[in-house]
C-alpha cells in the first residue's frame, strides 16, 4: 500500500496549529492569573464599588428622562481588566514603572511563549531545509514532534511543542 503524499505546506500547517494551541493555552493561563490578581487588589475592589454607584446614578438619570447614554457608557470591570491585560501585552518589553507589578506576573508566561515561538521557528527551518514533506515530517519526528501521530490523532489530543529541541 502506497503511503499518502505529505506536502511541506501540510507539515508547516501542522507546526502552526500545534504552536497556536500551545500559545493559546499559555495566554489563557496568564490572563486567568492576572484577572485573579487584579480582582484581589483592594484598590480594584474600591473601583468596582465606585462603578456600581456610578451605574446607580446613571439609572437615576435614565429614569429622569435624560436617556441611557450615560448608563451605556459606563465600563464593566471585566472590560477594564481586559484593557489592562491587553495594554500589558503591548508594553511588556518597554514597560513604564506603573506596569511593573503586572509585568512581573507576566514574565514567566512571556518566557514560555518565547520558547514555543523559538521551537516553531526551528521546526519551520527543518521543513524549509527538507527535500519533501515526508522528509520534513521524518526530521520533525526525530526532533520530538510527530506529524504522523498528530495526523492520526483523536481530535481532543494535543501534542506538546516543547518536545522540539532548538531555537534561535
Amino acid at each position: 500500500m502506497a503511503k499518502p503524499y505529505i506536502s511541506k505546506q501540510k507539515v508547516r500547517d501542522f507546526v502552526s496549529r500545534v504552536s497556536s494551541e500551545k500559545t493559546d493555552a499559555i495566554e489563557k493561563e496568564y490572563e486567568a492569573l492576572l484577572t485573579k490578581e487584579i480582582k484581589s487588589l483592594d484598590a480594584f475592589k474600591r473601583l468596582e464599588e465606585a462603578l456600581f454607584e456610578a451605574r446607580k446614578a446613571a439609572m437615576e438619570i435614565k429614569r429622569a428622562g435624560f436617556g441611557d447614554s450615560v448608563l451605556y457608557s459606563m465600563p464593566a470591570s471585566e472590560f477594564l481588566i481586559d484593557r489592562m491585560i491587553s495594554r500589558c501585552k503591548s508594553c511588556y518589553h518597554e514597560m513604564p514603572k506603573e506596569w511593573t507589578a503586572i509585568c512581573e506576573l507576566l514574565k514567566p508566561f512571556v518566557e514560555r511563549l518565547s520558547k514555543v515561538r523559538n521551537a516553531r521557528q526551528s521546526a519551520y527551518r527543518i521543513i524549509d531545509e527538507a527535500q519533501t514533506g515526508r522528509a520534513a515530517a521524518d526530521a520533525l519526528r526525530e526532533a520530538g514532534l510527530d506529524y504522523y501521530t498528530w495526523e492520526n490523532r483523536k481530535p481532543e489530543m494535543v501534542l506538546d511543542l516543547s518536545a522540539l529541541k532548538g531555537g534561535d
Side-chain angles (χ1 to χ4, degrees):
M1 182 172 156
K3 294 182 180 178
Y5 174 72
I6 300 172
S7 69
K8 282 184 166 185
Q9 186 58 47
K10 201 170 186 182
V11 178
R12 184 177 283 278
D13 292 344
F14 153 70
V15 169
S16 177
R17 180 173 290 158
V18 170
S19 67
S20 290
E21 289 169 357
K22 188 75 170 173
T23 56
D24 289 349
I26 293 169
E27 287 176 353
K28 284 180 184 173
E29 187 180 339
Y30 79 67
E31 285 174 7
L33 172 70
L34 291 176
T35 299
K36 178 182 165 205
E37 291 294 322
I38 291 168
K39 284 186 172 187
S40 72
L41 295 172
D42 288 335
F44 191 78
K45 290 174 185 172
R46 288 193 311 272
L47 177 63
E48 284 185 308
E49 290 170 10
L51 285 171
F52 178 75
E53 291 300 320
R55 278 191 207 86
K56 281 179 28 181
M59 281 298 290
E60 291 176 24
I61 292 170
K62 179 182 174 184
R63 277 190 232 115
F66 290 97
D68 56 8
S69 61
V70 173
L71 178 63
Y72 291 129
S73 64
M74 303 294 298
S77 59
E78 291 78 20
F79 171 79
L80 296 174
I81 290 171
D82 288 345
R83 293 284 298 192
M84 283 188 268
I85 291 172
S86 174
R87 175 73 197 266
C88 183
K89 286 180 189 178
S90 65
C91 74
Y92 177 80
H93 294 289
E94 295 178 28
M95 72 175 129
K97 288 181 193 175
E98 299 86 21
W99 291 88
T100 55
I102 202 166
C103 288
E104 248 339 278
L105 289 171
L106 190 59
K107 187 176 183 174
F109 296 100
V110 170
E111 290 168 356
R112 287 172 50 202
L113 286 170
S114 218
K115 287 179 183 177
V116 171
R117 290 181 180 124
N118 288 340
R120 180 181 59 217
Q121 290 307 315
S122 295
Y124 286 160
R125 273 195 298 280
I126 289 170
I127 294 166
D128 291 341
E129 292 170 3
Q131 298 250 333
T132 65
R134 183 167 303 285
D138 292 341
L140 287 175
R141 178 190 275 174
E142 289 176 22
L145 189 61
D146 193 350
Y147 169 82
Y148 303 109
T149 300
W150 181 80
E151 186 67 31
N152 298 321
R153 79 191 187 291
K154 296 175 184 166
E156 66 278 358
M157 184 177 152
V158 177
L159 292 176
D160 185 4
L161 189 66
S162 66
L164 182 64
K165 304 286 187 248
D168 289 327

